[in-house]
Amino acid sequence: MTKTTLALRGALLAAAVLTLSAPAPALARPADVGNWLYLTLSKGDALTRDVRGTLLMCDPPQGHPRAARACAELAAAQGDVDRIPPEQTICPMIYAPVSVSARGEWNGRRVEYEHTFANACDLTARTGAVFALSEDQDQDQDQEQEQDQDGARAQEQGTDMAMPGPQDQRH
């Protein structure tokens, strides 16, 4: 072999060693999108559904009328809607079904939640602000709770707030 061939081989070997010993370039890592849930709420039965949906993002809280409170409740429950502590409230025993779902990611873990509640009061009592997707919903639930509390007070006082029946009406 000639001196030129040996020199060329030595240079190639040195380049290969340097290439292999150099730190590998950092692979592009997907941006951390944080904690988020796509929430849906539908009122009524399968034939007459009023469906609403929104994207709740929690880093920072946005996309939801009560995002800060919903994110705080979810953070305390580690993103598990079932672990949100229920509120102590009295709900009417009126069947007005409300179905909800949540799909997304919390602390890198996939979240999937679906449940049908007897009514909006039961929903709020068991899921807090997470599914309070509109201000109207909050007002309706507040009115339901006030009516329930008025009824409970009337029962405690021995009065009945019921409307008079047909036998009570005089012509």
Side-chain angles (χ1 to χ4, degrees):
M1 282 197 199
T2 65
K3 287 184 180 181
T4 310
T5 306
L6 287 174
L8 186 57
R9 280 188 183 173
L12 288 174
L13 181 61
V17 169
L18 287 174
T19 302
L20 294 175
S21 64
L27 295 175
R29 190 172 158 227
D32 187 16
V33 295
N35 298 326
W36 63 274
L37 295 176
Y38 182 73
L39 307 167
T40 62
L41 178 141
S42 60
K43 294 180 180 180
D45 59 22
L47 299 175
T48 59
R49 292 208 170 191
D50 171 21
V51 180
R52 296 179 186 170
T54 193
L55 179 64
L56 170 65
M57 295 179 285
C58 291
D59 297 318
Q62 58 187 329
H64 185 289
R66 299 171 72 190
R69 182 173 170 202
C71 290
E73 289 171 348
L74 284 164
Q78 298 173 343
D80 186 351
V81 178
D82 279 325
R83 293 182 60 193
I84 295 173
E87 295 177 10
Q88 297 297 318
T89 187
I90 300 171
C91 290
M93 294 181 64
I94 298 172
Y95 187 68
V98 180
S99 297
V100 295
S101 70
R103 286 177 175 63
E105 190 172 300
W106 197 271
N107 293 336
R109 182 180 51 86
R110 188 176 181 160
V111 174
E112 289 195 28
Y113 174 84
E114 284 188 35
H115 194 84
T116 299
F117 294 90
N119 54 46
C121 178
D122 189 30
L123 166 69
T124 301
R126 295 181 40 203
T127 64
V130 174
F131 293 99
L133 303 185
S134 71
E135 297 301 324
D136 296 339
Q137 180 184 351
D138 294 340
Q139 292 171 356
D140 292 345
Q141 291 167 356
D142 290 343
Q143 287 174 352
E144 285 178 10
Q145 289 176 353
E146 286 175 19
Q147 290 171 353
D148 295 338
Q149 291 171 353
D150 290 344
R153 277 188 233 112
Q155 285 181 345
E156 287 174 4
Q157 296 172 355
T159 59
D160 188 7
M161 293 182 60
M163 296 296 291
Q167 71 276 9
D168 295 335
Q169 296 177 351
R170 306 266 192 249
H171 295 284

